[in-house]
Amino acid sequence: MKKILVTGGAGFIGSNFINHILKNRDDYFIVNLDKLTYAGNLENLKESENNPNYVFVKGDIQNNELVNYIFEKYQIKYVINFAAESHVDRSILGAEVFYRTNVIGTNVLLEAAKRFEVERFLQISTDEVYGSLGPTGLFTESTPISPNSPYSSSKAAADLMVQAYHHTYGMPTLITRCSNNYGPYQFPEKLIPLMIINSINNKKLPVYGDGLNVRDWIYVIDHNRAVELVLEKGKIGEVYNIGASNEMKNIEIVKLILKHLNKSEDLIEYVKDRPGHDRRYAIDSSKIQNELGWKPQFSFESAIQYTIDWYLNNRQWWERIISGDYIKYYNEQYLNRK
Ligand code: NAD
Ligand code: TYD
């Protein structure tokens, strides 16, 4: 049995990871440590909550005592650190919590992992640590780190720290850097769920700047299959880029969502650009494809349709979210942006 600590497992990618693993594997015992911030939601884990190979612990990755207790009690040998503050716009509104969770929190986990001599420590990072691309070229694992937002700088700091623990203490670390994810259970502050939900509700769709910024989209299950593979077969000390070679301009995504939902493009509203907005991300994932044999399985066309249908069929899930603190965030973020 692989005893594995998953942090941030009540968020979008972490909950999809836990549900995916527990559905497909019986040799993993998962302890999910999550603080349940605004982004954490135990409803995402309904299908896993009664699984005998799963335990949930509510807590902060910055809590040294709790983290050490978990490592000892559950004899943790593997760590996957998904826990993070994850939204660029929120990092622009207030950066401190990003450095606390993403940097200090990761350090607490590394220290415990060192003390308890884990076999593998997998840091879930992002392509945003590479900064922004011009119209051509792709991020490879040797692209220099050059983050631009408070969010990406906190993730880059964590990556450098993880690499320092490998270099200095010989810790068995791994880092994955994935492009933009979409799929069920994504919090509606992010582009795709926000545009789906606003379209369903006939609300304006706030497109930043000229709408021509490019992101490289991957379905969350393809990301998580890569995470599973890197945890098991990745070469210690290495970085693996993950992406599905699916670059799209934001405005293309917005129009596609409107089309699928049979809504008018009159809902589109161009608003003031995000400060420091990265123009283009695009991932070269040939390393993980060639060395570990990973390939994306989902086409964008079918997975985005499935995702839109998921939001249509799970109104309860997001209606509860957008009726709470989200209103305050939405107003702060969008009201004076026109
Ligand atoms: P999310 O915001 O949906 O979930 C984050 C989870 O972490 C939440 O459950 C939250 O409660 C938990 N958390 C936050 N602070 C915590 C703390 N101090 N202690 C314990 N738990 C805490 O994020 P996501 O989109 O699922 O992203 C997960 C990871 O993947 C992050 O590390 C992110 O940087 C990375 N990533 C995300 C994307 C993307 O497109 N969403 C792409 C590449 C990498
Ligand atoms: P987001 O989902 O926040 O991911 P990231 O900034 O981490 O890539 O945003 C994706 C793209 O969509 C980004 O270029 C910003 C843009 N965007 C909008 O135009 N309007 C919005 O309301 C949001 C949330 C994002």
Side-chain angles (χ1 to χ4, degrees), residues 86-89 128 151 180 186 189-192 194-195 206-208 213-215 217 250 274 277-278 281 329 334:
S86 68
H87 188 36
V88 174
D89 290 324
E128 300 191 26
Y151 163 67
N180 287 63
Q186 185 166 31
E189 65 194 354
K190 306 280 169 41
L191 178 76
I192 288 183
L194 186 141
M195 297 299 171
V207 173
Y208 298 163
N213 298 63
V214 171
R215 297 293 182 263
W217 295 94
N250 294 337
R274 171 189 280 174
H277 196 175
D278 284 342
Y281 303 145
Y329 163 73
Y334 294 100

Side-chain angles (χ1 to χ4, degrees), residues 12-239:
F12 162 50
I13 303 175
S15 62
N16 274 290
F17 179 80
I18 292 173
N19 291 334
H20 165 77
I21 289 290
L22 293 177
K23 200 156 56 198
N24 293 294
R25 309 279 301 245
D26 55 14
D27 57 336
Y28 276 58
F29 181 86
I30 294 180
V31 181
N32 173 14
L33 172 63
D34 196 297
K35 188 179 179 182
L36 299 182
T37 67
Y38 78 91
N41 187 347
L42 290 179
E43 283 177 42
N44 304 3
L45 292 154
K46 272 223 157 66
E47 66 182 81
S48 300
E49 65 189 6
N50 295 321
N51 192 304
N53 289 343
Y54 172 71
V55 171
F56 174 69
V57 179
K58 180 174 189 294
D60 194 322
I61 58 169
Q62 294 170 79
N63 183 338
N64 200 36
E65 211 176 310
L66 175 65
V67 167
N68 278 282
Y69 169 80
I70 290 171
F71 273 77
E72 174 140 36
K73 171 157 185 194
Y74 295 105
Q75 299 290 298
I76 297 298
K77 286 292 163 215
Y78 297 81
V79 178
I80 307 183
N81 184 25
F82 290 100
E85 287 293 335
S86 68
H87 188 36
V88 174
D89 290 324
R90 287 190 194 249
S91 81
I92 295 167
L93 294 174
E96 186 180 341
V97 67
F98 283 73
Y99 297 111
R100 288 194 187 283
T101 287
N102 301 0
V103 185
I104 306 295
T106 300
N107 184 251
V108 168
L109 294 172
L110 282 168
E111 278 295 311
K114 174 154 75 76
R115 193 166 311 126
F116 289 90
E117 300 181 341
V118 297
E119 288 171 28
R120 280 167 174 255
F121 185 104
L122 171 49
Q123 174 68 6
I124 303 298
S125 185
T126 163
D127 62 353
E128 300 191 26
V129 300
Y130 296 121
S132 184
L133 289 166
T136 58
L138 302 172
F139 296 133
T140 71
E141 288 80 357
S142 49
T143 301
I145 301 291
S146 182
N148 291 318
S149 71
Y151 163 67
S152 56
S153 69
S154 70
K155 294 296 288 184
D159 283 14
L160 296 176
M161 188 165 54
V162 168
Q163 287 177 323
Y165 272 62
H166 172 67
H167 188 81
T168 308
Y169 305 115
M171 258 195 66
T173 62
L174 296 148
I175 296 174
T176 54
R177 296 191 180 131
C178 190
S179 62
N180 287 63
N181 285 220
Y182 65 97
Y185 300 119
Q186 185 166 31
F187 194 86
E189 65 194 354
K190 306 280 169 41
L191 178 76
I192 288 183
L194 186 141
M195 297 299 171
I196 296 173
I197 289 170
N198 280 16
S199 303
I200 293 173
N201 287 337
N202 296 312
K203 281 184 69 174
K204 289 286 185 192
L205 310 186
V207 173
Y208 298 163
D210 60 8
L212 300 179
N213 298 63
V214 171
R215 297 293 182 263
D216 188 354
W217 295 94
I218 184 172
Y219 188 57
V220 63
I221 298 297
D222 275 333
H223 179 190
N224 282 331
R225 287 177 41 255
V227 168
E228 181 184 1
L229 191 63
V230 170
L231 182 74
E232 297 195 338
K233 306 238 168 71
K235 200 166 146 227
I236 294 299
E238 295 283 311
V239 175

